[in-house]
Amino acid sequence: MASSAHAEHLYQTTIKLFGSEPEPPFEDERRLLADWGRKWGVDNDVGRIRSILMHRPGPELGMVDPTKKLEETGTFGDLEEGWYWQSDEIPPADDMRAQHDGLVDALRAEGVEVHFLDGGTDRLLKSCYTRDPVIMVKGGAIVCRMAPRIRQGEELVVTRTLANLGIPILRTIHSNGMLEGGSFAWLNPHTAVVGRSIRVNDEAISQLDDVLKRQGVELIVVDLCGYLIHIDGAFVMVDHDLALVDPTQLPFWFLERLTELKIRTIEITPADNGWIINGLAVAPGRYIMGDGASNRTLDAIQQAGVEIIPVQYDKMQLNGGGIHCSTTPLERDSL
């Protein structure tokens, strides 16, 4: 009997020391805090932001040559050198940095911890738009694979930064997958949406879905209209049950699905600057937004109980991205 009891004790001790412990799952707050030191990850788009990833425009702006105008589009660029300027106006670099600094100041005033990319962006003109190379999900990050050649290479910079911060990387989009974070959004902790477009293909959507479905998240796939590259040009959550939308850029069935999910919508009008959708909810009902909203839309947003935090960002937008594009929340409070 003693021998049997000793054997059982030895077995139980061995199990405790060397056995597998699959529960709780990786993304559980208890595991994250114990194993990674912080509750990294995001499961919604409006919970209070605790930390965020950005990149202050740096030496890469020196790539822009105003003598290299693309007559077909009226913009500027040299695709062989790997840069493209998305507007017909090139502002002073210091003006762009000043506006980016203003956004950082607004975030810090909200108590957000701001992290910056760890260098390596000298030939990456669009790297100030940190939304695209990484998607944050429950428990960590998905490193995207950028679609256009002029943005490829940002993946390495963001991977190094995430690693240095100690953020788990749950997936790196590989094979022929193409995915950019500006075309992904959380609707609620159990539902997300991705916009299929010239920047997001089925192979990447399949890989994204593989991660999300293991976390119990449904991924809705929306085909974007025409050459709209990212869904954040047409849709953004501003409160737990409220979204700002451009109905001309989204399919009717998706607008209906939002209603089914009990998400109210405020529709922008032709009088609005489209960049107002490309803002950022820093907490439920607290929305950082650039200029350009009509009085009608401003009234609708405020009547819905949303407080607008204004930030001047028109110079930064000239490089092809707005406030939402320039920010990737690394930690948000759950709803």
Side-chain angles (χ1 to χ4, degrees):
M1 292 290 293
S3 176
S4 175
H6 176 72
E8 177 64 19
H9 176 72
L10 180 60
Y11 170 75
Q12 292 298 334
T13 300
T14 301
I15 290 297
K16 289 180 180 179
L17 288 173
F18 306 113
S20 297
E21 293 186 33
E23 298 295 338
F26 181 94
E27 62 273 11
D28 186 276
E29 180 176 353
R30 293 165 292 174
R31 291 297 289 265
L32 288 170
L33 291 174
D35 301 338
W36 295 87
R38 291 178 71 160
K39 186 179 172 288
W40 296 113
V42 168
D43 69 356
N44 68 87
D45 272 355
V46 297
R48 181 166 294 280
I49 300 173
R50 298 299 174 179
S51 63
I52 207 163
L53 181 65
M54 299 181 71
H55 171 64
R56 186 175 192 261
E60 66 273 7
L61 292 179
M63 298 176 67
V64 180
D65 184 348
T67 69
K68 294 188 175 181
K69 190 164 187 177
L70 303 174
E71 297 300 333
E72 301 89 342
T73 60
T75 57
F76 302 86
D78 188 323
L79 301 186
E80 290 187 7
E81 290 186 10
W83 67 273
Y84 174 66
W85 186 264
Q86 208 159 321
S87 307
D88 60 2
E89 176 189 349
I90 302 173
D94 285 345
D95 290 355
M96 294 182 65
R97 294 186 183 106
Q99 290 193 347
H100 192 273
D101 292 344
L103 176 57
V104 170
D105 290 343
L107 287 164
R108 286 176 170 159
E110 294 294 312
V112 178
E113 178 184 14
V114 181
H115 299 284
F116 296 95
L117 292 179
D118 293 338
T121 63
D122 289 3
R123 304 297 297 173
L124 299 170
L125 180 60
K126 306 291 186 180
S127 56
C128 56
Y129 303 129
T130 54
R131 174 71 57 164
D132 295 324
V134 60
I135 290 173
M136 293 299 293
V137 297
K138 299 178 183 180
I142 296 173
V143 176
C144 298
R145 183 167 181 252
M146 308 297 282
R149 171 61 62 184
I150 59 174
R151 297 205 65 175
Q152 292 170 9
E154 293 180 35
E155 302 93 337
L156 175 59
V157 178
V158 78
T159 297
R160 286 174 172 165
T161 304
L162 295 171
N164 288 337
L165 289 171
I167 298 176
I169 296 175
L170 306 185
R171 174 69 65 95
T172 297
I173 300 300
H174 56 278
S175 186
N176 291 326
M178 293 291 183
L179 176 66
E180 297 180 358
S183 214
F184 174 84
W186 287 95
L187 305 183
N188 59 48
H190 308 290
T191 317
V193 62
V194 64
R196 182 163 45 204
S197 68
I198 57 173
R199 297 290 185 88
V200 179
N201 63 15
D202 286 336
E203 172 58 34
I205 290 172
S206 176
Q207 294 181 41
L208 173 63
D209 185 50
D210 183 60
V211 176
L212 291 174
K213 70 184 179 183
R214 296 173 190 277
Q215 299 184 348
V217 176
E218 177 191 2
L219 181 64
I220 299 172
V221 181
V222 172
D223 286 315
L224 300 183
C225 299
Y227 297 110
L228 180 67
I229 62 176
H230 296 147
I231 201 169
D232 66 0
F235 171 87
V236 67
M237 294 293 298
V238 296
D239 205 341
H240 70 282
D241 65 345
L242 181 67
L244 193 59
V245 302
D246 181 350
T248 68
Q249 297 291 328
L250 296 167
F252 176 72
W253 70 260
F254 178 64
L255 298 176
E256 288 288 283
R257 185 66 192 278
L258 294 176
T259 300
E260 292 172 8
L261 292 169
K262 302 188 185 314
I263 296 174
R264 299 170 293 141
T265 59
I266 297 172
E267 298 183 356
I268 70 166
T269 72
D272 293 310
N273 179 338
W275 287 111
I276 66 172
I277 284 184
N278 202 277
L280 180 72
V282 291
R286 288 186 63 78
Y287 186 61
I288 296 181
M289 187 176 79
D291 292 334
S294 64
N295 289 334
R296 172 195 171 281
T297 300
L298 283 173
D299 288 345
I301 293 173
Q302 292 168 343
Q303 287 171 9
V306 175
E307 184 174 355
I308 295 172
I309 304 167
V311 170
Q312 195 80 21
Y313 218 65
D314 59 311
K315 305 304 181 186
M316 282 291 298
Q317 291 163 2
L318 292 173
N319 193 16
I323 291 169
H324 193 266
C325 299
S326 302
T327 53
T328 293
L330 302 173
E331 298 171 280
R332 277 191 188 268
D333 288 354
S334 296
L335 297 176

